């Protein structure tokens, strides 16, 4: 019997709906396997800006740092898209005004979750929902390991200024050796449990930070002679993800390239609503396991928010990763993943997948298939 502390940060848009669905699944797991998950909910993102004037309130951060794991929904929305009018210099170097996304970025950075695991697995019954031809999808089973706390997302300087009478904006793409090394080790270790192939994605023909990336990944690869390594330029990788996605096993890449490529990879599965993620680092939780941040890769989907029709699979599968990595509940994680697969095989589909189930009905279907 496991006692664990789970912090929920549902966030904005469809976030509360999909986190609510995943929480029901986690509660069903707790009941059926005899565990106790203590859950507490905290604001993050746009709703936190509205209520507290900051996208990551101190109480939210404090709770997340104490938790065994954090399950997050989504942040952002058109309501907070023009932050220029707001006076928010507290969290970010001025003159950049606060956006909901900064709450998430600061949470990732503060939790030190530098490795973002985004598995892309196909459900055979959903092949027709993919924009890519079914024959190209045969055998697709890839894992993107996206570096999450560095790169142009966090590099300094990051600013706006007036130069020669016009506005200039600067972001800085920066990587240090240790940032690259630690995420590369994770990619190689994960590849060992899979098909033993790492594809490192960079833009080394243009960017200095990518040349360092390639150099350090190559050095790290020496410690894993059983794992093959290839280097792929990001533009080519974007093409290969469509033209021969099954050729990839583990992809390891920087924060920005990983963000872009995982949206692309997600539609191979028919809908980006299906994709989960786990963000891990070296910090351990009270169970002696990695303290992780778990979130679907999709956004807040303001167009369907509040309608109860969002696809909860990405968040439910994130909850399965949470059970596996942060709670050490491997059988339970397998049970959730198996239940999702069976529900989909049995024809359960939300609207994004061409069906007509709502969020609650999809969650019910998964819980029904937990079948313990
Ligand atoms: C993601 C999202 C975030 C990111 C946004 C919401 C800041 O797109 O998790 O992929 O860019 O990392
Ligand atoms: Mg993204």
């Amino acid at each position: 019997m496991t006692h664990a502390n789970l912090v929920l940060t549902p966030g904005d848009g469809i976030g509360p709906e999909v986190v609510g669905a995943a929480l029901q699944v986690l509660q069903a797991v707790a009941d059926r396997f005899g565990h106790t998950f203590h859950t507490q909910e905290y604001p993050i993102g746009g709703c936190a800006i509205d209520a507290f004037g900051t996208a990551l309130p101190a109480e939210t951060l404090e709770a997340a740092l104490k938790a065994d794991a954090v399950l997050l929904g989504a942040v952002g929305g058109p309501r907070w898209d023009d932050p220029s009018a707001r006076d928010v210099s507290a969290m970010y170097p001025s003159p950049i005004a606060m956006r909901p996304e900064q709450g998430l970025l600061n949470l990732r950075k503060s939790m030190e979750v530098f490795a973002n695991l985004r598995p892309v697995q196909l459900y055979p019954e959903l092949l027709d929902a993919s924009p890519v031809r079914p024959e190209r999808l045969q055998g697709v089973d890839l894992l993107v390991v996206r570096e999450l706390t560095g790169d142009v997302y966090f590099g300094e300087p990051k600013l706006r200024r007036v130069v020669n009478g016009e506005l200039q904006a600067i972001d800085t793409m920066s990587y240090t050796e240790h940032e690259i090394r630690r995420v590369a080790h994770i990619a190689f270790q994960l590849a060992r449990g899979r098909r033993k192939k790492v594809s490192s994605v960079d833009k080394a023909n243009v960017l200095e930070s990518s040349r360092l990336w390639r150099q350090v990944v190559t050095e790290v690869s020496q410690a894993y002679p059983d794992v093959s390594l290839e280097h792929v330029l990001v533009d080519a990788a974007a093409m290969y993800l469509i033209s021969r996605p099954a050729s990839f096993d583990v992809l390891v890449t920087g924060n920005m390239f990983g963000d872009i490529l995982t949206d692309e990879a997600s539609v191979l599965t028919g809908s980006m609503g299906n994709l989960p993620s786990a963000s891990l680092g070296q910090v351990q939780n009270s169970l002696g396991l990695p303290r992780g941040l778990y979130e679907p890769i999709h956004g807040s989907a303001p167009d369907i928010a509040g309608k109860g029709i969002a696809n909860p699979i990405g968040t439910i599968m994130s909850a399965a990763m949470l059970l596996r990595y942060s709670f050490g509940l491997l059988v339970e994680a397998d049970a959730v993943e198996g239940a999702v697969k069976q529900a989909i095989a049995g024809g359960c589909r939300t609207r994004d997948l061409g069906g007509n189930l709502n969020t609650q009905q999809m969650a019910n279907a998964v819980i029904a298939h937990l079948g313990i």
Side-chain angles (χ1 to χ4, degrees), residues 34 62-63 69 81 91 106 112 115 129 135 140 155-156 159-160 196 202 218 238 240 251 277 312 325 332 345 350 360:
E62 198 184 322
D81 264 351
M91 262 174 101
N106 286 345
E112 299 173 65
E135 63 268 26
V140 169
E156 299 283 348
L159 54 84
R160 239 180 216 226
K196 298 190 169 54
D202 62 38
T218 304
Y240 298 147
L251 290 105
S277 85
Y325 294 118
E332 291 80 346
T350 42
Q360 185 60 57

Side-chain angles (χ1 to χ4, degrees), residues 75 101 104-105 108 118 146 148 153 255 259 262-263 295 297:
V75 295
E101 289 81 358
L104 174 56
L105 299 183
R108 290 171 175 170
R118 298 188 160 187
R146 169 192 177 195
L148 202 62
Y153 273 58
N255 204 345
D259 177 46
T262 49
D263 267 26
E295 44 177 320
I297 80 147

Side-chain angles (χ1 to χ4, degrees), residues 93-114:
S94 62
I96 298 171
M98 185 178 297
R99 296 184 53 96
E101 289 81 358
Q102 280 160 27
L104 174 56
L105 299 183
N106 286 345
L107 181 63
R108 290 171 175 170
K109 189 82 171 173
S110 305
M111 289 183 72
E112 299 173 65
V113 285
F114 58 82

